[in-house]
Amino acid sequence: MQTLDFITPVVDDPYLYGQIAAANSLSDVFAMGAQVINALNIVGFDSCNLDSEILSQIMQGGLSKVRECGGVIVGGHSIATPEMYYGLSVTGRVHPKKFWANYTSKVGDTLILTKPLGMGALSTAIKADMLNLEQIKEAARYMSQLNFYAVGAMEGIRVNAATDVTGFGFLGHLSEMGRDDISFEIFTRDVPILASAREVAAIGLLPEGSYKNREFCAKFLNMDANDADILLFDAQTSGGLLLAVDANDAKNALKRLKEAGYEMTSVVGTVNERKLGQNLINLKP
């Protein structure tokens, strides 16, 4: 399999930015239950106004994440651009019987989210210089955390469907897992959201994409989208995996994920039979 993704800077530190951008790019492979083989760097850099050492640090950050999951960098391409961006084209592999699709949930499955929401709001707050150092470190830690370990933790667990939660937000990516014969019940109180993200969202520090996500998701919900928690639509950078797991394996899956380092992993809902006229996504307090 082959994927490609890149992002503009979300933190000031170039090495950390490289790590976050790489984790974000690699996530598409992990969302399919696959392993990384190799990757190509994709770079846009303003060499006229920025020191080449900054570019070197960005790429070193990306390299560290590719190596962390057992892959290698085999080259890449860069161009001169006024706005910086960095990411990877990633090659991965998975046995056909272990491949995770995003549309194959089964009625009765338990939905598990591995990372907390709020990265879009926090990225916006970082750019506005509205976070303290500890809050920045917390956000960066989650954004640079690879979904690689979640794949390993699910060995032997019946994962019927999966997706990663990125730019379309939690509910946007959940809608991509839908079919005409199933619906999702989401326990909103159990969806993990960083406290610092709630603080900045309360004063309107949100990316434009979050509002667009809410508009897109409105047709899928059992309630007015404007009444739902805006962070359920938050446009994530390098978010976690959303897994539809066989209910009998859910307790073990949760335990393994937490042991693998995803301490805010939570059961966030269930997959149900969809009745005539029922919404795809039903939010429950």
Side-chain angles (χ1 to χ4, degrees):
M1 62 185 64
Q2 193 80 38
T3 70
L4 185 151
D5 202 354
F6 53 84
I7 59 172
T8 56
V10 292
V11 292
D12 292 332
D13 183 280
Y15 184 84
L16 185 54
Y17 162 51
Q19 289 190 311
I20 292 169
N24 183 71
S25 298
L26 294 163
S27 185
D28 288 333
V29 169
F30 303 136
M32 293 182 275
Q35 297 177 325
V36 170
I37 301 173
N38 57 48
L40 295 167
N41 285 314
I42 309 294
V43 184
F45 190 75
D46 184 1
S47 57
C48 295
N49 296 301
L50 296 173
D51 192 287
S52 61
E53 177 60 23
I54 293 175
L55 177 59
S56 176
Q57 290 181 41
I58 292 170
M59 295 177 68
Q60 285 298 312
L63 175 62
S64 73
K65 286 297 169 179
V66 174
R67 285 178 171 171
E68 184 179 335
C69 62
V72 294
I73 298 284
V74 293
H77 188 70
S78 64
I79 61 171
T81 56
E83 184 175 25
M84 185 188 305
Y85 61 82
Y86 173 66
L88 302 170
S89 174
V90 186
T91 301
R93 65 183 174 192
V94 63
H95 190 285
K97 292 184 178 179
K98 295 185 177 182
F99 173 77
W100 297 344
N102 67 353
Y103 58 88
T104 49
S105 302
K106 296 182 179 180
V107 172
D109 280 352
T110 297
L111 295 172
I112 297 176
L113 181 63
T114 64
K115 288 190 193 181
L117 304 181
M119 301 310 148
L122 293 175
S123 296
T124 303
I126 290 171
K127 293 174 184 177
D129 197 24
M130 294 291 288
L131 294 185
N132 61 43
L133 182 58
E134 289 306 311
Q135 290 172 321
I136 293 172
K137 286 181 177 180
E138 181 183 46
R141 179 169 67 86
Y142 283 111
M143 287 190 285
S144 61
Q145 183 182 33
L146 291 178
N147 287 321
F148 165 69
Y149 302 102
V151 177
M154 293 299 94
E155 183 66 32
I157 299 291
R158 287 168 288 184
V159 177
N160 292 320
T163 187
D164 58 339
V165 179
T166 52
F168 292 123
F170 170 65
L171 293 181
H173 286 285
L174 177 63
S175 73
E176 294 180 327
M177 297 177 72
R179 299 191 311 270
D180 290 341
D181 61 325
I182 62 173
S183 65
F184 303 114
E185 183 169 322
I186 299 301
F187 315 132
T188 56
R189 66 184 181 279
D190 296 328
V191 177
I193 298 175
L194 290 179
S196 54
R198 290 199 181 279
E199 292 175 11
V200 299
I203 59 174
L205 283 174
L206 291 160
E208 182 181 357
S210 298
Y211 296 104
K212 291 182 177 179
N213 291 341
R214 182 170 64 181
E215 182 179 353
F216 170 77
C217 290
K219 57 183 174 290
F220 301 118
L221 302 181
N222 65 326
M223 61 185 293
D224 189 325
N226 292 313
D227 294 331
D229 188 339
I230 186 63
L231 290 172
L232 296 175
F233 309 99
D234 191 40
Q236 302 299 286
T237 296
S238 188
L241 297 183
L242 179 58
L243 307 170
V245 175
D246 186 284
N248 292 321
D249 289 343
K251 184 177 180 180
N252 192 24
L254 199 66
K255 177 176 179 290
R256 288 194 191 178
L257 287 164
K258 290 186 176 183
E259 289 174 346
Y262 305 95
E263 69 275 3
M264 290 190 74
T265 298
S266 182
V267 170
V268 296
T270 58
V271 181
N272 302 324
E273 183 179 359
R274 191 172 182 182
K275 299 176 182 178
L276 184 64
Q278 188 178 17
N279 298 91
L280 174 63
I281 302 172
N282 301 282
L283 303 180
K284 301 292 184 180

